[in-house]
Amino acid sequence: MSSDARARNRRICLKSQDDEKPREGTAGGNSDGDLFETASTSSEYFQVADASGLRRLGRDFFNQPCVVLARALLGKVLTRRLPGGEILQGRIVETEAYLGGDDLASHSRGGRQTPRNRAMFMEPGLGAAVLLRALEPLEGEETMRQLRTCAQKRAAAKTPRPLKTRQLCGGPAKLCQAFALNKTFDKRDLASDTELWVEENRRSQLQTKHDVESKTVVCTSRIGVASAAEWAQKPLRFYIYGHPCVSVIDRKVQG
């Protein structure tokens, strides 16, 4: 696909392109600088307040090459405003890049467009996307637990066991359940939506154990794409090394 493909900022499944070639199965420092430090509100990527008064990352942040965006989203905060006004927040700790074009794991491979992947081709993207795989709950954890438990009860005959924090958002489906995200959020614009957006992590000043360890990013293969031939092994999944909320760790890297 074109080297000019850029990332779309409209959905949980964001998008962009193959611009950077990370080494397979490696863990290394962030090449974009101190990714996890709290950014100044004067940053070109950070809107202090938009027309609705919300603080969010703007369109320029999402208009990056796919692999660059997938790494840059680590440490950022996904924010959800529920219908009653309650706020849920989770720090992004794991992402995957889907490049479109020749990427056999991508829904938009070969440039095919369907109602299911229509959002991947909305401006300014050309069929690539970033999938948010896992979050670390920051605010509204009990509500997330209730939402996840309700989803479990609908899917199982017996009462589920209480969920631990690391189990709430450890995977795309779990993340959507915990944040009450359904198909009505398809094609939403994260740069302007009043119910879902992405912020800088203003809590990173707290310097917890995992804030320190998050200086290291693991680049490894994606999950659930075994049928994608050679693309199944491409190092296009990124996660914060040692973080307990990551959905699947690479034991070859972490031991």
Side-chain angles (χ1 to χ4, degrees), residues 49-108:
D50 61 14
S52 63
L54 301 178
R55 302 167 63 89
R56 68 174 77 234
L57 290 169
R59 288 183 175 86
D60 287 345
F61 171 82
F62 296 101
N63 189 22
Q64 304 186 62
C66 186
V67 174
V68 176
L69 178 62
R71 291 180 62 113
L73 280 164
L74 293 176
K76 300 300 187 287
V77 175
L78 183 68
T79 302
R80 167 81 161 100
R81 172 176 284 164
L82 297 175
E86 182 179 0
I87 294 294
L88 307 179
Q89 288 192 315
R91 183 166 70 135
I92 300 167
V93 298
E94 182 182 4
T95 63
E96 289 180 339
Y98 288 87
L99 310 181
D102 296 332
D103 184 353
L104 297 181
S106 176
H107 289 307
S108 59

Side-chain angles (χ1 to χ4, degrees), residues 185-202:
F185 283 83
D186 188 34
K187 304 184 186 71
R188 294 283 190 100
D189 187 342
L190 295 182
S192 61
D193 197 85
T194 59
E195 295 181 305
L196 188 68
W197 63 92
V198 180
E199 301 182 2
E200 284 285 357
N201 182 16
R202 287 169 284 157

Side-chain angles (χ1 to χ4, degrees), residues 25-27 93-94 210 213 216-220 237-255:
T26 61
V93 298
E94 182 182 4
H210 293 292
E213 291 183 348
T216 301
V217 174
V218 175
C219 309
T220 187
R237 180 165 67 100
F238 307 92
Y239 69 83
I240 297 175
Y241 180 90
H243 201 290
C245 293
V246 170
S247 64
V248 180
I249 67 169
D250 187 332
R251 297 191 180 280
K252 294 180 180 178
V253 176
Q254 294 194 211

Side-chain angles (χ1 to χ4, degrees), residues 43-55:
S43 166
E44 63 178 308
Y45 294 144
F46 194 74
Q47 299 176 358
V48 175
D50 61 14
S52 63
L54 301 178
R55 302 167 63 89

